[in-house]
């Protein structure tokens, strides 16, 4: 009995000594640091920092400047896409065709307000309200978009802020604004519906069932109606018709939440104008000939019809449901980008 | 011994603690920079880090990347979701942490086969396209690009940021990534080690000092002495072989009493050797020397104190017959030395003195002497010394039978002169005859040279008063010697026998003196 116990004691002593030695040795060397990542935030951070957005804007500005100088759209796709690319290309063509009589639209890139989405998904869209351009026209509202992670941000479109338009309050770029779905509930109408209704209002004017849902008078609508009236007046002189349709472009709609629970909605639309004549002829204006892609030579005379398409970018403020205020149109761009005729 | 051992152990421990503490802050101090690396898995050109890896240590983190054969190496930092989104389904290697202080742990993520939208199956073994190039993406907060290698320094910000390393170009090798952080290196063991060690060392030193002192302290070797103890070193020589005799107070008292008694006896029976001796010294050594018997001394004494001398009749007798013990009784015992007698000078002296009273003066002499002695005046020892010396050849040791006079030891006698006879001792010998050191010879009896001389006679009456107890001189000598030894002075080592030439210069000289005397 005794020997056994003694052995055990010896062993226990040995183990204890080993433990102490190990502890002492490990105590001397600090432990390996272990990564302690910050907790993943419940709300995603803004997709870009202000610096990043500025950097993107500067690059966009550089591309535009280069394109403007050469009136060449060749390099534009690197930083332009969607309506912006189409419009700018058309503008270059027009400018080239007219010898500079119709200058391109100034697009300043100095930001005044940023609406940066907070999301981890793509595509990502952010809205930039720029300073007033040098020609003292109204500030532009730029839309930057990144379709995929490996794609660059591009200038997707721009719009001129309408006279008297007031931007809704939005979250600061450091916080980020939640992107909203096209069918986002909680608004007086979903973004998709708003665009569709507005198209109807443009077409039918006050006769539209939705006219009351939009603040009036709306300078853009007034401009559209005035243009339409002018063409109709021209047509009226002879025997012909002028029709114009307005339609939202699928997939060209996105919305950001505003601070008051409403939405800032940007939508692409097209305005299709068709001028048909019978028994007379139409001289194609050089601007339209320039955007026809060669289909219409400059100075051509059309016997039947002339069709041209405007690319539109319209920005809405959609108040939250129950706010009792109408949807406001904040800004819009409207430029013909194609023409055809016979 | 144990104390010293403990002190040594403590000292060693303390030094070790100090050394370890210092070493922990120097040799074993961690690097100021933590650098670890990893290589992407074969076939991948992308390396990312898991969230938090960049913040493993202090800011800023430096990311170095290199890849052989890469046309371009890109290092970029972006939000984790952005990096993940950018990498997408591509194969990549994720750095997840540290496996040790110099290498990173990695997690290889194979490419996720994505079902092609158009339904065409991906071609197996198709040459992999050059690695995707993250250069210039708007997702990156910072990025660095280089040919074959790139380096980027990132100061972590709030949020989850990760790094993306990519090598691009045809045949680009998997990038090697090295992350390095500055570190705040602490030396938690330096202060405790040095302070604790210092304390241990100090304690050890104190202990050592204490034990050293104890060992070296002279007091340490002393034995507690009962009051009144007096060591006696025998004339024989080295202190250690001569037994030390210690007298208690009582013994001393008894000795004193005995001495007193002896003195009293002496009064009646004059002749105290001591006297004689002192006397002689006081006077004229030369004179004394030769004298045979007390007469000579007497003469001297006579000069001074005729009266004193006068009374002594017996003394004269004694002188006359050297062999005869002094009338003085037992004490006197002066044995005439044959040699002594012959001394011419002595006779002369005697003649001059005319009064052979040597011992005669006894009446007052011894008594006084005794009395005096005790209190002790070691008084003029010098004189006696000489006197003694002289007589060596001859007489000496009257040794008193009284027992008190202990007997001039053969050896002691000669020496006695030079040193002061301590008062106290005088009594001592008296009391314990037995105590006398071995070397001592019984009065007169033993050593030839020492034969008690008639000295007794010369016991100059006159000096009596001042004379320290002559008798005890012998013992006194030994005692003095003992004292010297006790106090660290070189002791005189009296030759075993006065004549033995063994010893010191003194001895030699003495021997010479004797010769002369003769």
């Amino acid at each position: 009995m005794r020997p056994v116990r003694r052995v055990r004691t010896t062993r226990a002593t040995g183990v204890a000594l080993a433990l102490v030695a190990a502890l002492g040795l490990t105590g001397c060397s600090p432990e390996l640091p272990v990564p302690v990542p910050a907790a993943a935030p419940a709300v995603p951070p803004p997709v870009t920092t202000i610096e990043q957005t500025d950097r993107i804007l500067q690059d966009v500005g550089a591309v535009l400047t280069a394109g403007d100088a050469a009136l060449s759209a060749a390099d534009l796709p690197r930083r332009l896409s969607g309506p912006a690319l189409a419009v700018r290309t058309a503008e270059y063509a027009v400018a080239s065709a007219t010898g500079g009589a119709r200058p391109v639209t100034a697009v300043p890139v100095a930001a005044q307000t940023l609406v940066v989405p907070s999301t981890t998904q793509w595509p990502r869209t952010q809205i930039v309200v720029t300073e007033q351009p040098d020609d003292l026209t109204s500030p532009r509202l730029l839309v930057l978009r990144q379709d995929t992670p490996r794609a660059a941000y591009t200038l997707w479109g721009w719009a001129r802020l309408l006279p008297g338009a007031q931007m809704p309050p939005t979250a600061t770029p450091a916080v980020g604004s939640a992107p909203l779905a096209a069918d986002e509930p909680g608004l007086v109408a979903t973004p998709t519906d708003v665009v569709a209704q507005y198209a109807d209002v443009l077409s039918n004017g006050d006769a539209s069932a939705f006219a009351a849902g939009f603040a009036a008078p709306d300078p853009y609508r007034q401009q559209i109606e005035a243009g339409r009236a002018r063409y109709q007046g021209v047509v009226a002189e002879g025997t012909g018709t002028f029709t114009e349709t307005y339609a939202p472009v699928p997939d060209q709609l996105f919305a950001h939440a505003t601070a008051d629970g409403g939405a800032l909605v940007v939508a692409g639309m097209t305005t299709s104008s068709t001028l048909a004549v019978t028994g007379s002829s139409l001289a194609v204006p050089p601007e339209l000939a320039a955007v026809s892609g060669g289909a219409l030579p400059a100075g051509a005379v059309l016997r039947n019809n002339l069709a041209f398409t405007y690319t539109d970018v319209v920005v809405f403020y959609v108040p939250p449901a129950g706010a009792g205020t109408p949807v406001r149109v904040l800004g819009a761009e409207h430029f013909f980008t194609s023409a055809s005729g016979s | 011994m144990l104390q010293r051992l403990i002190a040594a152990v403590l000292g060693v421990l303390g030094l070790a603690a100090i050394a370890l503490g210092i070493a922990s802050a120097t040799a074993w101090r961690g690097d100021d920079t933590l650098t670890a690396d990893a290589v992407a898995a074969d076939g991948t050109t992308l390396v990312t880090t898991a969230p938090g890896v960049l913040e493993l240590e202090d800011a800023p983190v430096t990311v170095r990347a290199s890849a052989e054969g890469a046309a371009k190496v890109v290092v970029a930092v972006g939000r984790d979701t952005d990096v993940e989104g950018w990498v997408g389904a591509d194969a990549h290697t994720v750095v997840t942490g540290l496996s040790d202080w110099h290498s990173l742990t990695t997690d290889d993520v194979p490419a996720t086969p994505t079902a092609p939208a158009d339904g065409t199956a991906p071609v197996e073994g198709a040459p992999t396209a050059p690695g995707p190039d993250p250069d210039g993406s708007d997702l990156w907060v910072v990025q660095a690009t280089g040919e074959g290698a790139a380096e980027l320094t990132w100061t972590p910000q709030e949020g989850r940021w990760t790094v993306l390393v990519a090598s691009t170009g045809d045949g680009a090798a998997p990038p090697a990534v090295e992350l390095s952080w500055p570190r705040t290196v602490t030396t938690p063991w330096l202060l405790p080690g040095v302070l604790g060690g210092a304390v241990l060392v100090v304690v050890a030193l104190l202990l050592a000092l204490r034990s050293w002192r104890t060992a070296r302290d002279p007091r340490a070797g002393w034995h507690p002495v009962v009051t009144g103890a007096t060591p006696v070193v025998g004339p024989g020589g080295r202190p250690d072989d001569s037994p030390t005799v210690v007298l208690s107070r009582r013994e001393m008292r008894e000795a004193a009493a005995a001495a007193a008694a002896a003195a009293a006896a002496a009064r009646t029976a004059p002749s105290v050797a001591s006297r004689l001796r002192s006397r002689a010294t006081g006077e004229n050594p030369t004179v004394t020397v030769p004298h045979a018997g007390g007469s000579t001394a007497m003469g001297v004494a006579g000069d001074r104190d005729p009266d004193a001398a006068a009374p002594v009749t017996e003394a004269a007798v004694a002188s006359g017959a050297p062999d005869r013990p002094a009338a003085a009784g037992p004490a006197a015992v002066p044995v005439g030395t044959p040699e002594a007698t012959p001394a011419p000078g002595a006779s002369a002296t005697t003649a001059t003195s005319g009064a052979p009273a040597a011992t005669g003066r006894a009446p007052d002499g011894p008594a006084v002497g005794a009395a005096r002695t005790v209190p002790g005046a070691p008084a003029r020892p010098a004189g006696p010394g000489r006197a003694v010396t002289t007589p060596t050849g001859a007489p000496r040791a009257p040794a008193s039978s009284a027992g008190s006079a202990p007997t001039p030891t053969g050896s002691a006698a000669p020496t006695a002169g030079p040193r002061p006879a301590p008062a106290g001792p005088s009594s001592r010998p008296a009391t314990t005859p037995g105590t006398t050191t071995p070397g001592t010879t019984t009065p007169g009896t033993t050593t030839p040279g020492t034969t008690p001389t008639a000295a007794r006679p010369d016991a100059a009456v006159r000096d009596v008063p001042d004379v320290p107890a002559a008798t005890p001189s012998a013992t006194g000598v030994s005692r003095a010697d003992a004292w010297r030894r006790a106090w660290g002075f070189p002791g005189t080592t009296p030759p075993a026998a006065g004549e033995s030439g063994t010893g010191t210069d003194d001895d030699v000289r003495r021997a010479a003196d004797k010769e002369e005397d003769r």
Side-chain angles (χ1 to χ4, degrees), chain A residues 38 52 55 79 124 150 153, chain B residues 86 90 138-140 160:
Chain A
Q52 280 176 289
R55 203 171 64 208
R79 280 298 184 182
R124 296 171 173 178
R150 293 190 186 182
Y153 274 93
Chain B
W86 192 93
D90 282 355
D138 295 324
L139 296 174
W140 314 140
R160 291 154 65 94

Side-chain angles (χ1 to χ4, degrees), chain A:
Chain A
M1 205 54 201
R2 243 179 217 173
V4 171
R5 191 178 291 170
R6 201 169 280 168
V7 168
R8 277 186 190 161
T9 318
T10 318
R11 268 188 203 159
T13 313
V15 170
L17 281 180
L19 276 180
V20 168
L23 282 180
L25 286 180
T26 53
C28 290
S29 62
E31 290 181 13
L32 275 181
V34 174
V36 183
V43 175
V47 294
T48 59
T49 63
I50 295 175
E51 291 74 21
Q52 280 176 289
T53 301
D54 275 340
R55 203 171 64 208
I56 295 167
L57 287 172
Q58 293 305 316
D59 198 36
V60 168
V63 168
L64 285 176
T65 303
D68 291 354
L71 291 181
S72 164
D75 201 31
L76 291 185
R78 189 164 74 80
R79 280 298 184 182
L80 271 70
S81 67
L85 179 61
V87 169
R88 203 62 171 180
T89 304
E91 285 185 336
Y92 286 161
V94 170
S96 301
T98 60
R102 270 194 80 166
V104 297
T105 306
V107 179
V109 292
Q112 185 183 130
T113 302
L114 295 181
V115 180
V116 181
S118 54
T119 180
T120 59
Q121 305 298 314
W122 282 268
R124 296 171 173 178
T125 310
Q126 49 185 293
I127 296 168
V128 179
V129 177
T130 70
E131 303 283 353
Q132 198 172 33
D134 295 337
D135 59 7
L136 300 183
T137 55
S138 59
R140 307 294 193 258
L141 192 151
L142 310 182
V143 177
L144 299 174
R145 179 180 173 105
Q146 185 185 34
D147 289 321
T148 66
R150 293 190 186 182
Y153 274 93
T154 55
L155 177 65
W156 177 83
W158 72 82
R160 303 161 195 259
L161 281 186
L162 298 178
Q166 188 177 2
M167 285 291 288
T170 53
T172 66
V175 174
S177 304
L180 302 179
D183 55 355
E184 186 76 20
L187 304 172
V188 294
T190 67
T192 306
D193 289 347
V194 167
V195 179
Q197 290 170 7
Y198 189 64
D200 187 68
V201 169
L202 286 181
S203 300
N204 302 318
D206 291 337
S208 169
F210 308 109
F214 293 87
D218 157 11
Y220 178 64
R221 178 180 150 198
Q222 291 173 340
Q223 179 193 338
I224 294 291
E225 289 174 345
R228 188 173 60 201
R230 190 169 69 246
Y231 277 107
Q232 284 174 341
V234 171
V235 172
E237 293 174 1
T239 54
T241 58
F242 179 79
T243 58
E244 203 169 52
T245 60
Y246 314 91
V249 178
D251 301 327
Q252 288 194 352
L253 178 145
F254 40 81
H256 289 150
T258 59
D260 59 1
L264 196 59
V265 176
V266 179
M269 299 177 71
T270 55
T271 300
S272 302
S273 305
T274 305
L275 190 63
V277 291
T278 52
S280 61
S281 61
L282 282 174
V284 177
E287 307 96 284
L288 289 180
V291 298
S292 68
L296 299 177
V301 176
L302 298 180
R303 299 257 170 212
N304 295 321
N305 58 54
L306 175 64
F308 47 96
T309 308
Y310 291 88
T311 297
D312 303 327
V313 173
V314 185
V315 181
F316 303 93
Y317 165 65
V318 182
T325 55
V327 175
R328 286 184 282 138
V329 176
L330 301 175
E333 181 68 354
H334 178 74
F335 197 82
F336 52 89
T337 53
S338 71
S340 64
S342 62

Side-chain angles (χ1 to χ4, degrees), chain B residues 75-445:
Chain B
V75 179
V77 175
R79 290 197 184 272
D80 59 335
T81 51
D82 290 353
V83 172
E84 272 177 36
W86 192 93
V87 170
D90 282 355
H92 61 285
T93 298
V94 181
V95 174
T96 55
L98 289 172
S99 62
D100 59 45
W101 289 105
H102 297 292
S103 54
L104 299 164
T105 53
T106 57
D107 184 13
D108 296 332
V109 180
T112 309
T114 51
D118 56 2
T120 59
V123 182
E124 286 295 327
T128 49
D133 185 0
D135 188 15
S137 172
D138 295 324
L139 296 174
W140 314 140
V141 179
V142 289
Q143 75 163 48
T145 307
E147 187 175 334
E151 177 177 333
L152 177 148
T153 299
W154 165 251
T155 302
Q157 302 172 358
E158 187 188 348
R160 291 154 65 94
W161 302 90
T162 59
V163 76
L164 170 69
V165 174
S167 59
T168 65
D170 290 336
V177 180
E178 177 191 285
L179 302 178
S180 62
W181 300 263
R183 295 180 65 211
T184 306
V185 181
T186 56
T187 55
W189 298 100
L190 174 60
L191 212 57
V194 171
L195 287 187
V199 168
L200 286 182
V201 168
V202 167
V203 170
L205 284 181
L206 289 180
L207 281 181
L209 184 65
R210 196 177 139 199
S211 85
W212 176 74
R213 267 192 174 176
T214 314
R216 199 165 167 282
D217 192 344
R219 283 172 298 184
W222 284 50
H223 304 291
V225 176
V226 187
T227 339
T230 308
V232 173
V233 175
R238 300 180 307 168
D240 23 346
D241 30 72
S242 49
T244 298
V245 175
V246 177
L247 296 184
S248 66
R249 279 185 176 176
R250 185 179 173 192
E251 287 171 332
M252 292 174 72
R253 273 199 307 274
E254 289 171 353
R267 249 181 227 168
T268 38
S271 92
V272 173
S274 63
R275 236 354 160 23
L276 310 185
R277 203 173 284 112
S278 58
R279 180 86 220 61
T281 58
E283 238 16 274
N284 180 349
T286 41
V287 177
T288 18
V289 178
H291 56 1
S295 57
T296 14
M298 237 12 247
V300 185
D303 297 343
R304 285 191 160 190
D305 189 358
D307 306 340
V312 187
T313 42
E314 296 176 357
V317 185
S319 66
D323 292 341
R324 272 227 264 104
V333 189
V335 182
T337 347
E339 306 155 28
T341 7
S347 56
T349 329
T350 333
T352 32
S353 67
T359 52
R361 73 138 327 2
D364 41 328
V368 181
R372 286 268 174 83
T373 341
V374 182
R380 37 197 49 265
R386 218 170 285 127
V388 173
T389 336
T390 1
T392 47
R396 146 170 5 51
S400 53
S401 50
S404 67
T407 82
T409 51
S411 57
T415 37
R419 47 211 100 251
S426 61
S427 59
R428 207 245 267 60
T431 43
T432 32
T435 59
T436 37
T437 43
T440 51
T441 42
T442 25
T445 59

